[in-house]
Amino acid sequence: MEKKLLNLIDSHCHFSEMAKKEMNTQQIIDECFENGLEACLDIGIATNDIKERIKYKREGVYFAVALYPSFSEKDYIVEVEQLEKNIIDFRSEISVLGECGLDFYWNYADATRQLELLEMQIDLANRYNLPVAIHCREADSLLVDFLSRKKLNQASIIHCFSSDMVFAKKYIDLGFKLSFAGNLTYKKSIEIQEACRAISVKDILVETDSPYLSPQPIRGKLNSPGNIHYTYDFIAQLKGIPTTRLANQVKENFYEIVK
Ligand SMILES: [Zn+2]
């Protein structure tokens, strides 16, 4: 059997959201690893979701925990305290703090609140020596400005990078790797494609953001880590290198951050 996911890593997926969409999540995960998937990072979005997600634990599955930007409209001080308790309780299972960040598309709260919540979570990450996976929607200028002042003590990830070459270079200069999702493969994503072409393979990660953002051939359908190969192939073609070479480098990049 040809293993179409051999050596590939999905740096950002949501098992809990897949389950909510009534996808057969455990079976999908098992099939991905049978097909050669090297690893995936299951991302947290809510205070206690790790308690549910931990059941998917197996070799090659890594976990992140964090409060999604939507928590900026809540009483987030209490939530961050509880998040810290979970980091302590699940310390040996948690590899990344994510996803947290800024979202001015959905505009959950004003910039002050969104930035405060992000800063509190970066402080948490620094306290426990965790890398951070950052969500950014329509907030690149503010985020770059913030990250230039706020230091993270671990090399970290900009999840679903969806901006242009200028911001790509700024994030890389700040020590981030850029994780590309299925939206890279859409016809209109010219700027993201240009950015991806311009940067070094050493700064690239690849993700599905399952169950969202399915790549072009299956756009509109529910996504799973089993579709990660479409985005690898797309990036390899964009950069004129074999997919196997891209996969080897992304693997190195991923394990530089996720342990
Ligand atoms: Zn996500």
Side-chain angles (χ1 to χ4, degrees), residues 12-14 43-45 68 99 135 159-160 207 209-210 212:
H12 190 114
C13 59
H14 296 276
I43 298 286
I45 51 172
Y68 198 73
E99 59 184 292
H135 168 108
H159 134 69
C160 188
E207 64 172 70
D209 201 16
S210 298
Y212 312 109

Side-chain angles (χ1 to χ4, degrees), residues 240-254:
I241 59 172
T243 303
T244 47
R245 204 184 117 198
L246 173 68
N248 284 334
Q249 185 60 55
V250 170
K251 191 167 149 182
E252 234 178 83
N253 301 344
F254 182 80

